[in-house]
Protein backbone atom coordinates (compact mmCIF):
# COMPACT_ATOMS: atom_id res chain seq x y z
CA UNK A 1 0.00 0.00 0.00
CA UNK A 2 2.81 2.40 0.87
CA UNK A 3 4.55 1.70 -2.44
CA UNK A 4 1.31 2.35 -4.30
CA UNK A 5 0.83 5.68 -2.49
CA UNK A 6 4.36 6.77 -3.44
CA UNK A 7 3.72 5.89 -7.09
CA UNK A 8 0.45 7.83 -7.14
CA UNK A 9 2.09 10.92 -5.63
CA UNK A 10 4.98 10.69 -8.08
CA UNK A 11 2.61 10.50 -11.04
CA UNK A 12 0.60 13.46 -9.75
CA UNK A 13 3.69 15.59 -9.32
CA UNK A 14 4.98 14.58 -12.74
CA UNK A 15 1.77 15.86 -14.35
CA UNK A 16 2.15 19.33 -12.79
CA UNK A 17 4.12 22.02 -14.57
CA UNK A 18 5.05 25.52 -13.32
CA UNK A 19 3.71 28.35 -15.50
CA UNK A 20 4.59 31.38 -13.33
CA UNK A 21 7.66 32.02 -11.20
CA UNK A 22 8.82 34.75 -8.83
CA UNK A 23 5.39 36.14 -7.97
CA UNK A 24 4.70 38.01 -4.77
CA UNK A 25 1.83 36.65 -2.70
CA UNK A 26 -0.73 39.17 -3.95
CA UNK A 27 0.03 38.43 -7.61
CA UNK A 28 0.13 34.69 -6.95
CA UNK A 29 -3.28 34.74 -5.27
CA UNK A 30 -4.74 36.77 -8.12
CA UNK A 31 -3.40 34.32 -10.71
CA UNK A 32 -4.60 31.35 -8.67
CA UNK A 33 -8.12 32.78 -8.38
CA UNK A 34 -8.31 33.58 -12.09
CA UNK A 35 -7.26 30.07 -13.08
CA UNK A 36 -9.69 28.40 -10.68
CA UNK A 37 -12.52 30.55 -12.07
CA UNK A 38 -11.48 29.34 -15.52
CA UNK A 39 -11.73 25.71 -14.47
CA UNK A 40 -7.99 25.12 -14.10
CA UNK A 41 -6.74 23.13 -11.11
CA UNK A 42 -3.83 25.32 -10.06
CA UNK A 43 -1.67 25.27 -6.96
CA UNK A 44 0.60 27.84 -5.28
CA UNK A 45 3.91 26.86 -3.76
CA UNK A 46 6.76 28.86 -2.30
CA UNK A 47 9.77 29.32 -4.57
CA UNK A 48 12.71 27.51 -2.95
CA UNK A 49 15.21 29.80 -4.69
CA UNK A 50 13.47 32.88 -3.26
CA UNK A 51 11.70 32.47 0.04
CA UNK A 52 9.53 35.54 -0.56
CA UNK A 53 8.29 34.49 -4.00
CA UNK A 54 5.73 31.94 -5.19
CA UNK A 55 5.27 29.53 -8.10
CA UNK A 56 1.97 28.71 -9.80
CA UNK A 57 1.67 25.20 -11.25
CA UNK A 58 -1.07 23.50 -13.24
CA UNK A 59 -1.61 20.02 -14.70
CA UNK A 60 0.55 19.62 -17.77
CA UNK A 61 -2.42 19.01 -20.06
CA UNK A 62 -3.94 22.34 -18.98
CA UNK A 63 -0.79 24.46 -19.21
CA UNK A 64 -1.53 25.98 -22.62
CA UNK A 65 -5.10 26.86 -21.70
CA UNK A 66 -3.96 28.30 -18.38
CA UNK A 67 -1.47 30.58 -20.13
CA UNK A 68 -4.16 31.69 -22.59
CA UNK A 69 -6.47 32.59 -19.70
CA UNK A 70 -3.76 34.63 -17.97
CA UNK A 71 -2.85 36.41 -21.19
CA UNK A 72 -6.47 37.35 -21.87
CA UNK A 73 -6.75 38.80 -18.36
CA UNK A 74 -3.41 40.59 -18.42
CA UNK A 75 -2.07 38.54 -15.52
CA UNK A 76 0.19 38.61 -13.68
CA UNK A 77 0.21 42.39 -13.46
CA UNK A 78 3.47 44.29 -13.68
CA UNK A 79 4.85 45.38 -10.35
CA UNK A 80 4.08 49.00 -9.51
CA UNK A 81 6.71 51.04 -7.71
CA UNK A 82 5.06 53.26 -5.11
CA UNK A 83 6.62 55.50 -2.47
CA UNK A 84 7.90 52.52 -0.48
CA UNK A 85 9.82 51.13 -3.44
CA UNK A 86 11.02 54.37 -5.03
CA UNK A 87 12.32 55.79 -1.75
CA UNK A 88 13.62 52.50 -0.40
CA UNK A 89 17.17 53.51 -1.28
CA UNK A 90 17.50 57.24 -0.82
CA UNK A 91 20.02 59.15 -2.88
CA UNK A 92 22.82 60.69 -0.84
CA UNK A 93 22.53 64.17 -2.35
CA UNK A 94 19.48 64.22 -4.67
CA UNK A 95 19.16 67.17 -7.01
CA UNK A 96 15.80 68.99 -7.16
CA UNK A 97 15.22 67.51 -10.63
CA UNK A 98 15.97 63.98 -9.43
CA UNK A 99 13.76 64.38 -6.36
CA UNK A 100 10.90 65.69 -8.51
CA UNK A 101 11.22 62.77 -10.94
CA UNK A 102 11.26 60.24 -8.11
CA UNK A 103 8.18 61.76 -6.53
CA UNK A 104 6.33 61.71 -9.86
CA UNK A 105 7.22 58.05 -10.39
CA UNK A 106 6.14 57.09 -6.88
CA UNK A 107 2.85 59.00 -7.06
CA UNK A 108 2.00 57.54 -10.47
CA UNK A 109 2.72 54.05 -9.13
CA UNK A 110 0.42 54.58 -6.15
CA UNK A 111 -2.42 55.74 -8.44
CA UNK A 112 -1.86 52.75 -10.73
CA UNK A 113 -2.07 50.39 -7.76
CA UNK A 114 -5.32 51.95 -6.63
CA UNK A 115 -6.91 51.77 -10.07
CA UNK A 116 -5.89 48.13 -10.50
CA UNK A 117 -7.76 47.16 -7.34
CA UNK A 118 -11.04 48.08 -9.06
CA UNK A 119 -13.00 45.12 -10.37
CA UNK A 120 -12.77 44.94 -14.16
CA UNK A 121 -9.50 46.88 -14.50
CA UNK A 122 -6.71 44.68 -15.89
CA UNK A 123 -3.86 47.18 -15.99
CA UNK A 124 -3.43 50.90 -15.44
CA UNK A 125 -0.77 53.28 -16.68
CA UNK A 126 -0.48 56.79 -15.28
CA UNK A 127 1.67 59.69 -16.49
CA UNK A 128 1.85 62.91 -14.50
CA UNK A 129 3.20 66.40 -15.04
CA UNK A 130 3.38 68.80 -12.13
CA UNK A 131 2.55 72.46 -12.55
CA UNK A 132 5.55 74.75 -13.07
CA UNK A 133 5.14 78.20 -11.47
CA UNK A 134 5.77 81.31 -13.51
CA UNK A 135 7.62 83.86 -11.35
CA UNK A 136 6.69 86.65 -13.81
CA UNK A 137 2.95 85.93 -13.87
CA UNK A 138 0.93 88.63 -12.13
CA UNK A 139 -2.18 86.44 -11.82
CA UNK A 140 -0.34 83.50 -10.27
CA UNK A 141 -1.01 81.21 -13.22
CA UNK A 142 1.61 78.49 -13.69
CA UNK A 143 3.88 78.52 -16.72
CA UNK A 144 2.91 74.87 -17.30
CA UNK A 145 -0.37 73.56 -15.90
CA UNK A 146 -0.53 70.25 -14.08
CA UNK A 147 -1.39 67.41 -16.44
CA UNK A 148 -2.21 63.72 -16.23
CA UNK A 149 -2.81 60.90 -18.66
CA UNK A 150 -4.24 57.51 -17.69
CA UNK A 151 -4.66 54.43 -19.84
CA UNK A 152 -6.84 51.63 -18.46
CA UNK A 153 -7.10 48.19 -19.98
CA UNK A 154 -10.44 46.77 -18.88
CA UNK A 155 -12.25 43.48 -19.25
CA UNK A 156 -15.29 43.20 -21.58
CA UNK A 157 -17.61 43.44 -18.59
CA UNK A 158 -18.25 47.01 -17.39
CA UNK A 159 -15.58 48.03 -14.84
CA UNK A 160 -16.54 49.07 -11.36
CA UNK A 161 -15.87 52.76 -11.97
CA UNK A 162 -16.92 55.47 -14.39
CA UNK A 163 -14.74 57.92 -16.25
CA UNK A 164 -15.81 60.61 -13.81
CA UNK A 165 -14.61 58.42 -10.94
CA UNK A 166 -11.18 58.09 -12.55
CA UNK A 167 -11.05 61.86 -13.06
CA UNK A 168 -11.85 62.52 -9.40
CA UNK A 169 -9.34 59.95 -8.15
CA UNK A 170 -6.47 61.35 -10.21
CA UNK A 171 -7.41 64.98 -9.54
CA UNK A 172 -7.57 64.27 -5.82
CA UNK A 173 -4.04 62.87 -5.91
CA UNK A 174 -2.26 65.63 -7.82
CA UNK A 175 -2.06 69.24 -6.69
CA UNK A 176 -3.36 71.65 -9.31
CA UNK A 177 -5.63 69.15 -11.05
CA UNK A 178 -9.42 69.23 -11.06
CA UNK A 179 -11.98 66.85 -12.64
CA UNK A 180 -13.11 68.07 -16.05
CA UNK A 181 -16.73 69.19 -15.91
CA UNK A 182 -18.87 68.41 -18.94
CA UNK A 183 -17.94 66.96 -22.30
CA UNK A 184 -15.51 64.20 -23.18
CA UNK A 185 -12.01 64.48 -24.51
CA UNK A 186 -10.46 67.74 -25.53
CA UNK A 187 -8.48 70.11 -23.34
CA UNK A 188 -9.18 71.67 -20.02
CA UNK A 189 -8.44 75.14 -18.76
CA UNK A 190 -5.06 76.48 -17.80
CA UNK A 191 -5.56 75.42 -14.20
CA UNK A 192 -5.14 71.75 -15.09
CA UNK A 193 -7.99 69.28 -15.27
CA UNK A 194 -8.63 65.61 -15.92
CA UNK A 195 -10.61 64.74 -19.05
CA UNK A 196 -11.70 61.25 -20.12
CA UNK A 197 -12.47 59.44 -23.33
CA UNK A 198 -13.48 55.78 -23.64
CA UNK A 199 -12.15 53.42 -26.29
CA UNK A 200 -13.18 49.90 -27.27
CA UNK A 201 -11.45 47.35 -25.06
CA UNK A 202 -9.64 49.97 -23.03
CA UNK A 203 -10.38 53.24 -21.36
CA UNK A 204 -8.14 56.21 -21.95
CA UNK A 205 -8.14 59.13 -19.55
CA UNK A 206 -6.21 62.25 -20.43
CA UNK A 207 -5.68 65.60 -18.78
CA UNK A 208 -4.35 68.94 -19.74
Amino acid sequence: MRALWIVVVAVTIGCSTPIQHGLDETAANEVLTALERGGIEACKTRDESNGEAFIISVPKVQAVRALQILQSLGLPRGRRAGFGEVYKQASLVPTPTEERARYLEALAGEIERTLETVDGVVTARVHLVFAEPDPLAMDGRPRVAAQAAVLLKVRPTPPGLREADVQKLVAGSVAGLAPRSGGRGGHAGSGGAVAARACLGQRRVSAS
Side-chain angles (χ1 to χ4, degrees), residues 112-145:
E112 289 169 350
R113 285 179 175 177
T114 301
L115 290 171
E116 289 178 351
T117 63
V118 178
D119 188 31
V121 175
V122 178
T123 57
R125 295 288 298 176
V126 177
H127 301 275
L128 303 174
V129 175
F130 285 163
E132 293 185 9
D134 186 353
L136 302 179
M138 300 298 295
D139 56 4
R141 285 193 174 190
R143 181 173 57 185
V144 176

Side-chain angles (χ1 to χ4, degrees), residues 42-121:
C43 62
K44 179 184 74 173
T45 56
R46 194 172 291 276
D47 192 340
E48 295 182 358
S49 62
N50 181 357
E52 297 181 356
F54 293 87
I55 297 174
I56 299 296
S57 302
V58 300
K60 191 172 183 179
V61 295
Q62 295 182 312
V64 173
R65 182 165 170 262
L67 290 172
Q68 290 174 340
I69 290 175
L70 295 181
Q71 184 178 16
S72 67
L73 297 175
L75 297 175
R77 306 176 194 266
R79 295 181 179 178
R80 304 303 184 204
F83 285 101
E85 291 76 17
V86 172
Y87 287 94
K88 188 174 183 179
Q89 295 181 346
S91 177
L92 293 178
V93 186
T95 65
T97 301
E98 179 186 2
E99 190 64 23
R100 183 185 182 92
R102 294 176 69 195
Y103 186 84
L104 276 172
E105 179 187 359
L107 181 57
E110 294 290 347
I111 297 174
E112 289 169 350
R113 285 179 175 177
T114 301
L115 290 171
E116 289 178 351
T117 63
V118 178
D119 188 31
V121 175

